[in-house]
Amino acid sequence: MAALPPVVDSATWRKELDELRAREKAATRELDAIAAQRRRLPMVKMPEYTLVGADGPVRLVDVFDGRSQLIVYNHMWDPDPNAEWQCGGCTSLTSSFTRLDFLDNYDARFVIVTQGPIEAALAYAERVGNKMTWYSTADSPFGADVGAPPGGGFAFNVFLRDGETVYRTWHTSGRGVEQLTYTFALVDVLPYGRQEEWQDSPEGWPQGPAYSGWLDSPDVARLYGPAE
């Protein structure tokens, strides 16, 4: 059996929780300050790009679909045409985004862009139950220009539209992407956390290799894809 946290009386538990809460509140204020700095970032004017969507070629400015703000998740794509599955991390992360209409109230849209050919990308989205809007940058330098080149690279990019002109305002990759999904936030409040060996956990806590608890692409397809 896995180790357990120590058992204490309510007063002791409340005292330690209050000490932790002070750090949590400080972290919240720091995140507010980071968001304020993010709102003050300069931006970079983008050249014109043409992507491909379900209905054919579409200009980047039209991907906004009339909104002024656009979030793009650049989904990794294995160029091997015989590849059965695509990036498990990307597939798992994007599977969490199922209700995005709330962004309409913020004049914003959120889409996936991948290096995969659009027919293959749409088929894969259907297979794993992904309901987001997908675009392909297979015939465009767009992906490579925003940190997601062919054969590798995943990222979040954010854009602002002013009329017919598009600007890039923010970018993150690596562990930065986990801040935009609820999955790790939920797991991190569990007593045993992510159970990955790199994390600082008490002696005896269950731990395994990094990513061992993550859903892989076949898991996502089994859980969220069309019923067989």
Side-chain angles (χ1 to χ4, degrees), residues 21 51 54 69 72 88 91 105 107 114 140 148 175 195 207 215:
R21 184 61 41 78
L51 308 180
Q69 301 169 103
V72 169
T91 304
N105 290 345
D107 194 23
T114 185
S140 164
R175 289 195 64 200
Q195 302 179 41
Q207 288 185 296
L215 294 180

Side-chain angles (χ1 to χ4, degrees), residues 1-227:
M1 182 176 179
L4 298 173
V7 178
V8 297
D9 60 80
S10 295
T12 301
W13 178 80
R14 174 57 63 180
K15 177 178 179 294
E16 296 214 15
L17 178 64
D18 288 345
E19 291 175 355
L20 175 62
R21 184 61 41 78
R23 295 188 66 182
E24 291 174 338
K25 292 287 188 181
T28 297
R29 289 190 290 272
E30 176 61 14
L31 288 173
D32 287 342
I34 290 171
Q37 183 177 351
R38 187 181 296 117
R39 290 190 294 272
R40 288 165 173 78
L41 280 175
M43 58 187 183
V44 177
K45 183 179 178 180
M46 301 293 288
E48 292 187 2
Y49 295 97
T50 298
L51 308 180
V52 180
D55 298 323
V58 56
R59 299 182 305 161
L60 176 62
V61 68
D62 294 325
V63 173
F64 284 75
D65 197 24
R67 282 83 157 184
S68 66
Q69 301 169 103
L70 177 69
I71 302 169
V72 169
Y73 182 72
N74 298 96
H75 194 297
M76 289 182 67
W77 190 267
D78 186 341
D80 181 356
N82 297 315
E84 183 177 8
W85 301 103
Q86 296 300 326
C87 172
C90 292
T91 304
S92 179
L93 181 143
T94 54
S95 72
S96 67
F97 299 111
T98 58
R99 297 181 178 180
L100 296 169
D101 292 342
F102 72 92
L103 287 172
D104 291 346
N105 290 345
Y106 297 90
D107 194 23
R109 190 185 191 204
F110 181 12
V111 303
I112 293 177
V113 174
T114 185
Q115 294 284 351
I118 190 60
E119 295 82 4
L122 294 176
Y124 184 71
E126 172 68 19
R127 184 179 182 191
V128 298
N130 189 290
K131 304 301 183 183
M132 295 180 68
T133 303
W134 287 57
Y135 294 93
S136 171
T137 184
D139 300 319
S140 164
F142 172 74
D145 289 351
V146 296
F154 63 96
F156 272 108
N157 281 281
V158 180
F159 304 91
L160 179 66
R161 180 180 66 86
D162 182 19
E164 291 287 295
T165 305
V166 175
Y167 300 91
R168 187 185 187 196
T169 63
W170 186 73
H171 164 269
T172 193
S173 59
R175 289 195 64 200
V177 305
E178 74 179 47
Q179 302 301 317
L180 280 79
T181 179
Y182 65 84
T183 53
F184 295 108
L186 287 178
V187 174
D188 283 343
V189 300
L190 296 173
Y192 294 135
R194 303 187 198 185
Q195 302 179 41
E196 296 186 13
E197 57 194 5
W198 63 270
Q199 292 194 297
D200 182 358
S201 296
E203 184 70 27
W205 251 228
Q207 288 185 296
Y211 319 124
S212 56
W214 293 26
L215 294 180
D216 202 356
S217 302
D219 303 313
V220 175
R222 173 176 51 83
L223 291 171
Y224 309 122

